[in-house]
Amino acid sequence: MAGRPREFDRDQALEKARDAFWTRGYEGTSMADLVSVLGLASPRIYAAFGSKEDLFREAVALYEANEGGFATRALAEEPTARRVIERMLREAVETYTRPGRPQGCMVVSAATNCAVENDSVLHWLAEHRLARTASIVERLKQGVRDGELKPDTDAEALGDYYATLMHGLSVQARDGVPKERLHALITVAMQSLDARLVQGF
Amino acid sequence: MAGRPREFDRDQALEKARDAFWTRGYEGTSMADLVSVLGLASPRIYAAFGSKEDLFREAVALYEANEGGFATRALAEEPTARRVIERMLREAVETYTRPGRPQGCMVVSAATNCAVENDSVLHWLAEHRLARTASIVERLKQGVRDGELKPDTDAEALGDYYATLMHGLSVQARDGVPKERLHALITVAMQSLDARLVQGF
DNA sequence: ATGATTCTTTATCGATCGATCAAGAATTGA
DNA sequence: TCAATTCTTGATCGATCGATAAAGAATCAT
């Protein structure tokens, strides 16, 4: 209550920070970079977001609520495990290779090599990846219970397999492998699931 | 020549540097860290290796000549594409999860999020990854020419697929997914190749 | 109008970054 | 023996790191 109103758009600044962190990672983006990208003096950034780490965590949350939320959306919206997996992988490729946008997955690449003092950030992102892996495994187990997948399916192995592939897609996308090749590789990968499908489900 | 002889073992120092960079990455390992890990004052490190970047490149070369050389070795030593791929993936898992050793792949994780001034290091590692992908694709194309794989096999897609999976394995290993689960996932992935195999080859 | 509050601006903080200078110690070749 | 060369040691370089102090400007509540 009271006080001088903020002159800049906080949400817009957060989007710029997300793109910077997505492109360069947590440690690869310095406060000087953020000052330049956001067009804001550092005390304004600290007043609005707390610290560089707080800003990063908000930026990741924004990423996951939008571009990075394809897995969650596929899990929520697709009726079968088969459709969840394919949509997730296809949208991952689209997100990771969008022209004029940061390449790859922010959760995979923003904090893989960190100094000791930023281990908390590194572990936080690792937990996100593990949670995503677990949710995929759970969905495949559900597919077995539903009768969509053959009863002897190793759902954990299959889920680990698709999660691993998705994390690899991020690396390949950042290395500049074109999206057509990534889609072709997904076509190969979908055969593992198709082989476990119960006919006529 | 002449001059005072070096008092420390350069090769041994390089191994320690490789492990430090493997664990923490290029930027995540500071000169102060290296001074501590190698037990050498910084002027001695600079005298022996030139610069931090030179030391890193030597460390990566050492990694690739030993622990990280499983792909090259599998390509050189295994008689069939099928055996190359499986050995490569299995040895990747063993290397990435060895107890008491740095986890994951140094080439994948040591420089994914870098500041602008270290882009050269980042691109150098990316080229290594792309070269590895290309060598896998080439081996699968050879498998098609040999008659080991069905003539209509998309060798590029299949090679991209296994390269992507291997890069994902590095992420999973660093996240602490146990090696048994990674091996189980490879068993799933091998089915894509087995489905393309010509019977009785 | 005025006090309280919040934001903006300018300058700068101590710590750490990668890297090096200068002096002394130890070796080689002549 | 001694000049030339290389390594080791201790101190420290300028630049950059994330973060903040202090003061002026702009708003709200009364």
Side-chain angles (χ1 to χ4, degrees):
Chain A
M1 337 38 303
R4 176 175 176 176
R6 183 178 290 126
E7 287 180 5
F8 64 92
D9 185 329
R10 191 182 187 280
D11 294 339
Q12 198 173 318
L14 185 58
E15 288 179 7
K16 291 177 182 172
R18 175 204 56 201
D19 287 0
F21 282 130
W22 189 353
T23 304
R24 287 280 160 196
Y26 178 62
E27 291 190 345
T29 307
S30 68
M31 278 307 302
D33 292 334
L34 291 169
V35 165
S36 169
V37 169
L38 308 195
L40 300 172
S42 61
R44 305 175 76 179
I45 300 176
Y46 280 91
F49 298 102
S51 68
K52 186 190 173 187
E53 182 171 338
D54 290 338
L55 174 56
F56 177 74
R57 288 175 188 261
E58 266 200 68
V60 170
L62 179 64
Y63 168 80
E64 292 186 321
N66 296 286
E67 294 96 329
F70 49 82
T72 305
R73 285 192 295 273
L75 284 161
E77 297 170 11
E78 293 299 326
T80 66
R82 171 67 170 77
R83 292 186 54 164
V84 167
I85 297 296
E86 177 150 24
R87 174 171 160 188
M88 190 181 68
L89 294 174
R90 300 285 181 199
E91 287 196 18
V93 167
E94 291 299 316
T95 303
Y96 296 172
T97 62
R98 188 147 285 141
R101 300 290 301 145
Q103 302 291 285
C105 175
M106 186 177 185
V107 172
V108 171
S109 65
T112 64
N113 47 292
C114 264
V116 194
E117 62 264 29
N118 294 315
D119 257 352
S120 60
V121 172
L122 192 149
H123 288 132
W124 184 65
L125 285 190
E127 281 167 19
H128 284 230
R129 292 188 292 267
L130 290 170
R132 182 158 65 181
T133 300
S135 68
I136 295 169
V137 168
E138 275 312 305
R139 185 61 187 87
L140 292 172
K141 284 182 178 172
Q142 185 62 49
V144 174
R145 285 193 293 271
D146 293 343
E148 179 189 356
L149 300 177
K150 295 179 184 170
D152 63 334
T153 299
D154 185 344
E156 185 179 66
L158 204 57
D160 280 339
Y161 162 77
Y162 285 114
T164 301
L165 198 75
M166 191 160 58
H167 294 158
L169 282 173
S170 174
V171 176
Q172 301 297 86
R174 286 181 77 87
D175 286 352
V177 178
K179 75 171 182 176
E180 292 76 17
R181 282 175 61 182
L182 301 181
H183 276 302
L185 147 200
I186 289 173
T187 301
V188 173
M190 289 310 298
Q191 295 167 359
S192 301
L193 187 51
D194 289 337
R196 310 296 316 164
L197 243 38
V198 172
Q199 300 302 324
F201 175 77
Chain B
M1 309 255 152
R4 178 176 175 174
R6 182 177 291 125
E7 288 180 3
F8 64 92
D9 186 329
R10 192 183 187 279
D11 293 340
Q12 198 173 317
L14 184 58
E15 287 179 9
K16 291 176 182 172
R18 174 204 56 201
D19 287 0
F21 282 131
W22 188 354
T23 303
R24 287 279 160 197
Y26 178 61
E27 291 189 345
T29 307
S30 68
M31 278 306 302
D33 292 334
L34 291 169
V35 166
S36 170
V37 169
L38 308 195
L40 300 172
S42 61
R44 305 175 76 180
I45 299 176
Y46 279 91
F49 299 102
S51 68
K52 186 188 172 189
E53 181 171 341
D54 290 338
L55 174 55
F56 177 74
R57 289 175 188 260
E58 266 199 69
V60 170
L62 178 64
Y63 169 79
E64 291 186 321
N66 296 285
E67 293 96 330
F70 49 82
T72 306
R73 286 192 295 273
L75 284 161
E77 297 170 9
E78 293 299 326
T80 66
R82 171 67 170 76
R83 292 186 55 165
V84 167
I85 297 294
E86 177 150 24
R87 172 171 161 188
M88 189 180 68
L89 294 175
R90 301 284 180 198
E91 287 197 18
V93 168
E94 292 299 316
T95 303
Y96 296 172
T97 62
R98 189 148 282 141
R101 300 290 302 145
Q103 302 291 286
C105 174
M106 186 177 183
V107 172
V108 171
S109 66
T112 64
N113 47 292
C114 263
V116 194
E117 62 264 29
N118 294 315
D119 257 352
S120 60
V121 172
L122 192 149
H123 288 132
W124 184 63
L125 285 190
E127 281 166 20
H128 283 231
R129 291 187 292 267
L130 290 170
R132 183 159 64 181
T133 299
S135 67
I136 295 169
V137 168
E138 274 314 303
R139 185 60 187 85
L140 291 172
K141 284 183 178 171
Q142 185 62 48
V144 173
R145 285 194 294 271
D146 293 343
E148 179 189 358
L149 301 176
K150 294 178 183 170
D152 64 334
T153 299
D154 185 344
E156 185 180 63
L158 203 58
D160 280 338
Y161 163 77
Y162 285 114
T164 301
L165 198 76
M166 190 159 59
H167 295 158
L169 282 173
S170 174
V171 176
Q172 300 298 84
R174 285 180 77 86
D175 286 352
V177 178
K179 76 170 182 177
E180 292 76 17
R181 282 175 60 182
L182 300 182
H183 277 301
L185 146 198
I186 289 173
T187 302
V188 173
M190 288 311 297
Q191 295 167 358
S192 302
L193 187 50
D194 289 337
R196 311 297 315 164
L197 243 37
V198 173
Q199 300 302 323
F201 175 78

